[in-house]
Amino acid sequence: MNLKSLPGGVLAWLRRTRCKWLLVMLLLGLVLRENYPFSHFPMFSSFSRKTYFIHLADAHGTALKTRQFGLSNSTLKKIFDRARRKELRRFADAGEKRVPLAEAAAAQSLLRYLDGLTNARPAAKKLLPGLEVEHVRVRQKNDAILLEKKILAKHQ
Amino acid sequence: MRQRPAIPVFAFYERLLMRLLFAWLVWRATPHVLIVNGIPSPNGITRLFDLHFLLDPHVFRVADLALAAALIFYVLRFVVWLALPVALFVNLAANGIENSQGAIQHAAQIVSLVLLAQTVAHFYGLWRRRQGEERAGLESRAIWWSQQTIVAVYLLAGITKLITTKGLWVFQARWIGVSITKAAYQSFYDRFSQADLERQLAVANFAASHGWLVALIAATGLLLELGAPLALINRTWAALVGCALVCFHLGLDYSMHLTFIYNQWLLVIFLINVPFWIVTGARQITSR
């Protein structure tokens, strides 16, 4: 195979192919990544032995439907994740306390977001006093799935 | 050797039904009320344009009505040059604002991308018409580009898995039980369905204790994503790949409550294309 002719061959194929739009979409997705409407679709693109989710509970610790606040649980976690990443950078020098500090700050930031979100939802606003952000760690040990729960923040 | 046409040709009834169903899907995939707290983390289109004016419910209502009118015009093929950009703008803006809350959702993205493809295809087609291309090709190109967009989404998802895990995605998939558990609880806290939670946790526990079997199933899913371009060979391949991908989604829905309902509908409308097979089957029967 003559490698020198490869670029020319590729160009000729690109000119000939009926699927140019497919290539354009692929390129835009890979380059622009997460910029609506473009995406590189990273959902479940990697797996790990451990992960976590969060949920909301009332002042008595009773779990609440996240939809009551007008968003899905998955969206709630993504908003928390974003704040967590930001706080991890802020607490970069906090040593062993870095993660707990960042998670507590991110949970507070999430509560502030919910404050703003519930302005137009009186029913949800009533749930805010004492509202808890609970963090549940999920991990796999041998063939078993284990859950560990902790409270990250409480609405004042 | 028979030369394949640059753009597959679609019959009038196919184009009409596709337009009708796609317009309905765009309507479904566009938020009609914005439950948001400003635009705290601009993403995509909200980075390019200041869309705060749409947060006013009255303005947003006007945008919503404009979308309805645009979609009706799109179905009727009346002033498509205006209908498509209006529908695209309202769809992108509303979804863009929802995706600017610090959380990116991937449910409606594929619909926006197909709408974008159809808009670009339309204007490219108008330009090509000036170069002497036949008028009939205009809408067929929009469908052909829609098919390519759907295929690109799956192919991209497959490529991203390989890039992110440096090719080891299938081996990592043996820990999918952890992700299924997370998805099960996330879904539970959305709707409080104890029965769904128990079913999904049973799947998660099975996955945790049968890691290599799960890896094998995951490999099939990955191959399906990477093999999605086969759908562009011809109508039969499009239907086969479309059906396989719908089954893949139904499996994900059962195990993880991830419906990706818009993906499924787009596969049904543009790849499986049921009306074509009904008409073709009926013609075969009547010609005997």
Side-chain angles (χ1 to χ4, degrees):
Chain A
M1 189 180 152
N2 185 358
L3 287 177
K4 278 183 185 170
S5 66
L6 193 62
V10 170
L11 282 176
W13 179 81
L14 284 175
R15 269 196 295 271
R16 227 177 33 240
T17 181
R18 301 193 311 156
C19 303
K20 290 186 186 73
W21 182 255
L22 167 72
L23 299 175
V24 169
M25 294 308 284
L26 274 183
L27 202 64
L28 286 172
L30 288 171
V31 173
L32 297 174
R33 296 169 75 91
E34 291 300 302
N35 270 296
Y36 200 92
F38 299 100
S39 172
H40 60 307
F41 299 99
M43 314 84 85
F44 300 97
S45 62
S46 65
F47 296 105
S48 135
R49 286 175 195 270
K50 56 179 198 265
T51 184
Y52 71 92
F53 63 89
I54 56 166
H55 72 92
L56 303 170
D58 67 14
H60 309 291
T62 308
L64 295 171
K65 268 189 201 174
T66 318
R67 292 274 182 202
Q68 285 175 277
F69 295 87
L71 70 178
S72 70
N73 187 275
S74 142
T75 303
L76 189 81
K77 180 183 181 276
K78 286 175 183 172
I79 294 172
F80 172 81
D81 272 343
R82 191 181 174 88
R84 183 179 181 271
R85 282 195 296 274
K86 197 172 141 195
E87 297 297 342
L88 280 171
R89 284 195 294 274
R90 187 158 75 93
F91 290 110
D93 301 325
E96 283 182 2
K97 289 187 174 173
R98 183 186 178 210
V99 173
L101 282 172
E103 286 183 342
Q108 287 295 345
S109 161
L110 182 66
L111 287 173
R112 282 194 298 278
Y113 179 83
L114 291 174
D115 265 338
L117 197 64
T118 52
N119 280 337
R121 300 171 77 88
K125 201 162 184 70
K126 281 185 193 161
L127 299 169
L128 288 178
L131 186 74
E132 291 176 353
V133 178
E134 297 194 358
H135 177 286
V136 183
R137 188 171 182 235
V138 186
R139 65 189 174 96
Q140 184 169 337
K141 192 176 178 190
N142 300 324
D143 288 350
I145 305 273
L146 307 172
L147 303 178
E148 293 157 27
K149 195 184 229 183
K150 62 183 175 186
I151 296 169
L152 292 182
K154 201 169 179 118
H155 196 284
Q156 298 306 312
Chain B
M1 198 175 83
R2 195 159 57 93
Q3 186 81 22
R4 273 194 297 178
I7 303 165
V9 178
F10 296 91
F12 174 76
Y13 72 90
E14 290 178 276
R15 301 199 307 263
L16 176 66
L17 284 169
M18 283 178 179
R19 279 203 308 274
L20 200 63
L21 289 170
F22 183 59
W24 165 76
L25 203 59
V26 171
W27 181 254
R28 286 268 319 261
T30 308
H32 301 293
V33 180
L34 288 176
I35 305 170
V36 293
N37 184 6
I39 305 180
S41 309
N43 177 272
I45 189 172
T46 60
R47 279 188 183 154
L48 298 176
F49 306 106
D50 182 359
L51 297 177
H52 280 91
F53 68 96
L54 281 173
L55 298 180
D56 179 337
H58 301 294
V59 176
F60 192 71
R61 180 79 190 129
V62 173
D64 203 38
L65 289 172
L67 174 69
L71 290 176
I72 291 169
F73 287 162
Y74 164 80
V75 173
L76 299 173
R77 292 292 289 167
F78 178 63
V79 290
V80 183
W81 59 271
L82 182 64
L84 274 172
V86 168
L88 180 66
F89 174 76
V90 178
N91 175 273
L92 289 189
N95 281 300
I97 291 172
E98 282 214 332
N99 276 277
S100 298
Q101 304 301 307
I104 312 259
Q105 299 297 321
H106 297 95
Q109 230 148 2
I110 190 167
V111 180
S112 300
L113 285 173
V114 171
L115 189 56
L116 173 72
Q118 293 208 1
T119 309
V120 177
H122 183 78
F123 285 97
Y124 178 67
L126 289 180
W127 178 76
R128 286 294 298 259
R129 202 196 287 170
R130 283 188 175 184
Q131 316 290 311
E133 191 180 79
E134 280 179 43
R135 186 186 170 86
L138 201 63
E139 206 182 347
S140 286
R141 176 181 284 107
I143 296 168
W144 174 231
W145 284 23
S146 300
Q147 292 179 330
Q148 291 184 54
T149 304
I150 296 164
V151 165
V153 165
Y154 287 96
L155 182 56
L156 202 47
I159 291 172
T160 300
K161 287 180 178 72
L162 294 179
I163 293 173
T164 310
T165 58
K166 298 184 173 66
L168 298 174
W169 188 81
V170 169
F171 299 99
Q172 284 188 5
R174 66 184 191 275
W175 298 318
I176 202 170
V178 172
S179 293
I180 296 176
T181 304
K182 182 185 83 169
Y185 277 102
Q186 287 189 311
S187 173
F188 174 74
Y189 288 116
D190 275 345
R191 56 195 106 205
F192 276 4
S193 167
Q194 190 67 35
D196 279 355
L197 177 68
E198 281 169 14
R199 181 172 52 78
Q200 286 174 295
L201 290 182
V203 175
N205 286 322
F206 177 85
S209 52
H210 297 80
W212 292 107
L213 177 64
V214 170
L216 195 68
I217 296 168
T220 315
L222 179 63
L223 281 178
L224 201 53
E225 286 183 333
L226 296 174
L230 292 172
L232 301 174
I233 294 176
N234 58 33
R235 287 173 181 273
T236 309
W237 275 102
L240 287 174
V241 172
C243 286
L245 285 168
V246 167
C247 291
F248 169 69
H249 281 299
L250 293 176
L252 283 179
D253 187 17
Y254 179 80
S255 58
M256 300 172 88
H257 234 301
L258 299 170
T259 49
F260 286 104
I261 193 71
Y262 300 133
N263 290 51
Q264 293 189 46
W265 270 109
L266 286 171
L267 290 167
V268 169
I269 297 168
F270 291 109
L271 293 192
I272 300 176
N273 190 3
V274 179
F276 168 78
W277 292 106
I278 291 173
V279 170
T280 306
R283 279 181 185 155
Q284 292 269 331
I285 292 166
T286 51
S287 67
R288 273 179 199 162

